[in-house]
Amino acid sequence: EIVLTQSPATLSLSPGERATLSCRASQSPSGYLGWYQQKPGQAPRLLIWDASNRATGVPARFSGSGSGTDFTLTISSLEPEDFAVYYCQQRWNWPLTFGGGTNVEMK
Amino acid sequence: EVQLVESGGGLVQPGGSLRLSCVASGFSFSTSWMSWVRQAPGKGPESLGNIKGDGSEIYYLDSLKGRFTISRDNAKNSVYLQMDSLRGEDTAIYYCARDDRYGGGWYHAYWGQGTLVTVSS
C-alpha cells in the first residue's frame, strides 16, 4: 500500500498569497497522483489528475507538479473560495490511497 | 447534470448491518465504474471499492473483504453497499462516486453528498 504524507497540516495565508502544498509518497505512484479540494460540509472535488493536469472547470491558478515520490499543488494567488482542505490521492495501485490533508486557512 | 444521491445511513449498534444506496442520474449509469468512499471524522477519504458498469468486476479494500459487499442494479440506476458486522471504526460519512477515466486511469470525478453512518451502542 502506498502511504501519502501531506505537509504542512495547516497553512495560514491571506487572500492573494501563494500556497504551496506538498505530498510525499512511500513509493513512487509513477506520476498517477491527483489532488482534491474539500470545503466544509461538501464532498471532495477533483482538481488535478496525473500530477499536473487540471480537471474540467478548474481555474488556472491551480497547478500541480512533481515526479517520483514528491508532488506539489500550487495555488498562485489565493481567492476567498480557495480556503479549504486539500487531499492528494494515488491511483497507481490498489488500494487507492489518500493523504491526510492540508488545511489552507485564512490568516 | 450528474447527480448522485446516497441514502440508508444512520445509527447502528456494533455487530449490526446496514445497506446504503446511491441513485444516479444525468449520465449513462450502466457504462460507468462506481466507487464507495468513506471519510471518518477529521480524516482523509478512504476508497472502499468499486464496481464496473456491467457488474462483472468488483474490487474491495482488503481490510473490508467479507464484511462489505458492493452491488448495482442498472435498471434502477443504483449502486449499493451492504455493510455487515459493523464496528466503531466504520463510523464515517459514506460517499458514492463516479469514476472517470483520466490519462488512462481512473479518478473519483463526481461525488454524492454522502450519508452518515454511526456505529455505537
Side-chain angles (χ1 to χ4, degrees):
Chain A
E1 173 176 322
I2 296 178
V3 177
L4 301 176
T5 302
Q6 292 188 241
S7 62
T10 302
L11 202 49
S12 297
L13 296 168
S14 300
E17 289 193 295
R18 182 184 189 91
T20 303
L21 289 65
S22 173
C23 177
R24 176 163 290 176
S26 61
Q27 58 184 280
S28 174
S30 298
Y32 298 128
L33 185 117
W35 290 92
Y36 294 79
Q37 176 193 65
Q38 187 175 31
K39 297 180 181 180
Q42 296 184 17
R45 169 198 176 198
L46 180 65
L47 296 177
I48 300 288
W49 55 273
D50 287 0
S52 60
N53 301 279
R54 278 188 301 275
T56 304
V58 175
R61 63 182 179 272
F62 291 92
S63 63
S65 63
S67 62
T69 59
D70 291 307
F71 298 87
T72 300
L73 174 70
T74 301
I75 310 171
S76 59
S77 178
L78 282 163
E79 297 287 339
E81 62 267 27
D82 299 336
F83 291 93
V85 180
Y86 293 83
Y87 296 99
C88 55
Q89 180 223 348
Q90 65 81 22
R91 68 148 184 93
W92 172 236
N93 61 16
W94 188 258
L96 306 182
T97 49
F98 288 83
T102 291
N103 179 25
V104 178
E105 65 174 23
M106 197 175 297
K107 197 173 189 179
Chain B
E1 180 193 3
V2 174
Q3 286 202 333
L4 299 168
V5 180
E6 302 94 337
S7 61
L11 176 63
V12 61
Q13 292 190 337
S17 296
L18 216 51
R19 188 195 195 208
L20 306 183
S21 300
C22 170
V23 178
S25 60
F27 63 98
S28 176
F29 180 75
S30 64
T31 60
S32 296
W33 280 85
M34 299 296 296
S35 282
W36 284 97
V37 183
R38 72 182 177 186
Q39 188 170 26
K43 302 291 186 183
E46 180 179 43
S47 294
L48 303 180
N50 58 8
I51 182 168
K52 192 176 180 180
D54 62 3
S56 61
E57 296 179 44
I58 308 174
Y59 300 93
Y60 295 98
L61 192 60
D62 276 353
S63 59
L64 298 177
K65 277 181 183 171
R67 292 199 303 127
F68 287 17
T69 304
I70 297 172
S71 61
R72 66 190 297 157
D73 183 342
N74 287 343
K76 295 183 178 179
N77 275 10
S78 294
V79 62
Y80 306 101
L81 180 66
Q82 175 68 40
M83 303 186 294
D84 299 319
S85 303
L86 284 162
R87 308 165 183 167
E89 56 263 36
D90 296 317
T91 294
I93 296 174
Y94 285 72
Y95 297 97
C96 70
R98 189 184 91 179
D99 293 341
D100 283 2
R101 195 171 188 92
Y102 287 88
W106 303 88
Y107 288 90
H108 306 314
Y110 292 92
W111 301 57
Q113 85 290 347
T115 188
L116 177 63
V117 172
T118 304
V119 183
S120 176
S121 54

